[in-house]
Amino acid sequence: NGTITQGQGTDSVIVNWDSTGTGSLSVVDTNAFGCPGILQSITVTINPLPVTSPVNGPDSVCENSLATYFVAPNAGSVYNWSVTNGIISGSNTNNLVNIQWGSSGTGTLEVIETNAAGCPGAMVSMTVYIFPIPPAPAILGSGLVCAVDTAQVYSSPLVGGLTYNWSVSGGTITSGLNSDSITVSWDTASVSGSITLLVINQYGCASAITNLNVTMNPLPNATASPDSVSLCRNQPDRKST
């Protein structure tokens, strides 16, 4: 159940054991006078190698993102994970691993399974494509508005391939949602509001959120007094407000 690959005729040999099960190795020592000694034999138990499943998990991610990967568990096995262009978060000896990926490009995830008998299996690997995230967008527009402003325009520089995700508090987006420019109608009852924007690129990677705080200035409330007045012709009129 095996083949001697090196050392025949010497005091040590290298054996390639072929398949799982039981094998035996025997040796007879012959001295300088040509006299053979007693046959010595040992029984060898040949344990199977583990068969590791393919790695499961996303093969494309956004840079600096966290993703989970796993192989099918086998009782008694331990796993040795390694990664390039990323960092293992937590344990690397279970069948499941969390990876914090690095900068855009490619990364590689590898695992070697060792079974309960101490036999390591073949390395299983996975290539992961790491896509860039867009930079945080700028918001162009006024942070000081009048309380009844119903057509205030806000925009962000147009970049091809980006989807614009706006949200507003203290007002309502009346046009331009998901574009690079929106029109906002601010609420008359509010004194402050805000606009937030994130952009998503063609790879599905989202930017950091940009926030613009907006102050809504109240309209003046002028009154004229007195309510009525009687004047003489050509006499200057004085009123207070």
Side-chain angles (χ1 to χ4, degrees), residues 88-168:
I88 295 174
S89 177
S91 173
N92 74 326
T93 59
N94 299 320
N95 72 299
L96 181 147
V97 69
N98 295 309
I99 303 296
Q100 181 79 48
W101 291 108
S103 57
S104 61
T106 58
T108 303
L109 185 60
E110 299 173 338
V111 61
I112 296 176
E113 178 183 355
T114 301
N115 62 19
C119 299
M123 177 186 293
V124 176
S125 64
M126 181 182 192
T127 299
V128 176
Y129 298 93
I130 308 169
F131 295 118
I133 60 174
I139 298 177
L140 308 177
S142 178
L144 293 173
V145 298
C146 296
V148 293
D149 196 337
T150 59
Q152 190 71 38
V153 175
Y154 297 87
S155 64
S156 186
L158 178 62
V159 177
L162 294 184
T163 298
Y164 294 78
N165 190 341
W166 300 86
S167 63
V168 171

Side-chain angles (χ1 to χ4, degrees), residues 142 145-154 166-175 177 182-196 211-216:
S142 178
V145 298
C146 296
V148 293
D149 196 337
T150 59
Q152 190 71 38
V153 175
Y154 297 87
W166 300 86
S167 63
V168 171
S169 67
T172 303
I173 298 174
T174 58
S175 66
L177 190 64
I182 60 171
T183 301
V184 176
S185 176
W186 293 108
D187 296 340
T188 58
S190 299
V191 295
S192 64
S194 66
I195 298 177
T196 60
N211 183 76
L212 175 65
N213 292 319
V214 177
T215 298
M216 283 163 267

Side-chain angles (χ1 to χ4, degrees), residues 8-104:
Q8 184 67 278
T10 70
D11 62 347
S12 66
V13 292
I14 296 175
V15 178
N16 182 27
W17 298 106
D18 298 325
S19 58
T20 60
T22 302
S24 64
L25 181 63
S26 301
V27 62
V28 174
D29 181 15
T30 301
N31 63 20
F33 302 106
C35 301
I38 299 173
L39 178 70
Q40 302 290 332
S41 298
I42 60 170
T43 299
V44 178
T45 300
I46 308 164
N47 294 302
L49 299 177
V51 178
T52 307
S53 75
V55 176
N56 294 277
D59 61 2
S60 61
V61 297
C62 300
E63 63 180 330
N64 304 318
S65 63
L66 185 68
T68 299
Y69 298 84
F70 65 94
V71 293
N74 290 315
S77 287
V78 294
Y79 303 84
N80 186 10
W81 296 87
S82 60
V83 64
T84 59
N85 199 11
I87 298 173
I88 295 174
S89 177
S91 173
N92 74 326
T93 59
N94 299 320
N95 72 299
L96 181 147
V97 69
N98 295 309
I99 303 296
Q100 181 79 48
W101 291 108
S103 57
S104 61

